[in-house]
Amino acid sequence: MIHIIDGVFANHQLEKFSKTINSSTEPFVSGYASKKGEGFFKNNEDHPNAYMCNTMKNYANKFFELQNTKGYEYWTHVNTKPNDTHQDKDEVAYLTKGISRFPQCSTVFYLEVENLKGGELVFTNGITVKPKVNRLVLFSPGLEHFVEEFTGHRVSIAVNPWSTKLYS
């Protein structure tokens, strides 16, 4: 299941988020090699982008069963190079124990999109989503996806709610 919601935040909120995210373009693996200010947070844990994350989770709760959420992982992708097909999962559990554990759902929010050619979010079930500023994409756990090659500027934010804590 894939849901697309446009116009999630007001323009002044988007401007604030652009200033408070970690805009590093260094590669990372969530939980394994996290970026400063990102990673796993408990539901009520405060951080500079908690409002943004909680709003995304509230939208996800309209389509997915999130009552047992213990926390969420949050990270940004700034002009991330397109990658191979993957699933959003507990990377530490997968890399250290070979266990595939999935969030309750996955989200991708497009904060910035400028002069973009390509860069679509492609699901292996044939659905393609074009990046657009202030667009939130919600999808079922375990759905395989990848980002197409692109030129231009693209900032996406992921918030994935979990019913358990991630491996550390």
Side-chain angles (χ1 to χ4, degrees):
M1 182 173 5
I2 300 169
H3 300 279
I4 300 169
I5 302 164
D6 289 330
V8 175
F9 295 103
N11 286 338
H12 73 278
Q13 293 171 310
L14 297 175
E15 290 172 18
K16 178 186 177 218
F17 302 150
S18 288
K19 293 175 184 170
T20 58
I21 63 165
N22 183 331
S23 57
S24 168
T25 58
E26 292 296 316
F28 68 98
V29 177
S30 179
Y32 194 73
S34 293
K35 295 183 352 179
K36 183 179 180 185
E38 301 179 2
F40 187 85
F41 295 91
K42 293 178 185 173
N43 281 333
N44 296 318
E45 192 172 343
D46 193 33
H47 61 88
N49 289 308
Y51 175 79
M52 175 181 61
C53 295
N54 287 321
T55 300
M56 291 167 61
K57 286 189 332 181
N58 288 340
Y59 274 101
N61 193 45
K62 295 177 182 182
F63 302 98
F64 298 95
E65 185 70 35
L66 301 183
Q67 282 69 21
N68 296 323
T69 300
K70 303 287 186 234
Y72 58 93
E73 61 180 325
Y74 149 69
W75 71 90
T76 59
H77 291 288
V78 179
N79 293 329
T80 302
K81 299 292 182 221
N83 54 16
D84 294 327
T85 301
H86 68 280
Q87 298 166 301
D88 293 343
K89 60 187 172 297
D90 183 335
E91 295 293 344
V92 174
Y94 183 74
L95 293 171
T96 62
K97 308 226 184 275
I99 301 170
S100 291
R101 296 175 64 223
F102 303 108
Q104 294 168 293
C105 69
S106 293
T107 73
V108 174
F109 176 72
Y110 295 103
L111 179 62
E112 299 173 8
V113 177
E114 298 169 12
N115 303 316
L116 192 69
K117 292 184 181 172
E120 282 82 3
L121 179 61
V122 180
F123 295 91
T124 57
N125 64 5
I127 295 175
T128 300
V129 179
K130 182 176 180 63
K132 178 181 174 185
V133 171
N134 211 4
R135 172 170 281 173
L136 177 63
V137 183
L138 311 166
F139 52 99
S140 298
L143 275 184
E144 293 186 328
H145 58 283
F146 65 93
V147 175
E148 284 188 337
E149 294 281 337
F150 67 91
T151 59
H153 179 70
R154 179 184 187 277
V155 175
S156 61
I157 296 168
V159 173
N160 295 338
W162 286 84
S163 59
T164 60
K165 191 169 184 328
L166 296 175
Y167 277 52
S168 55

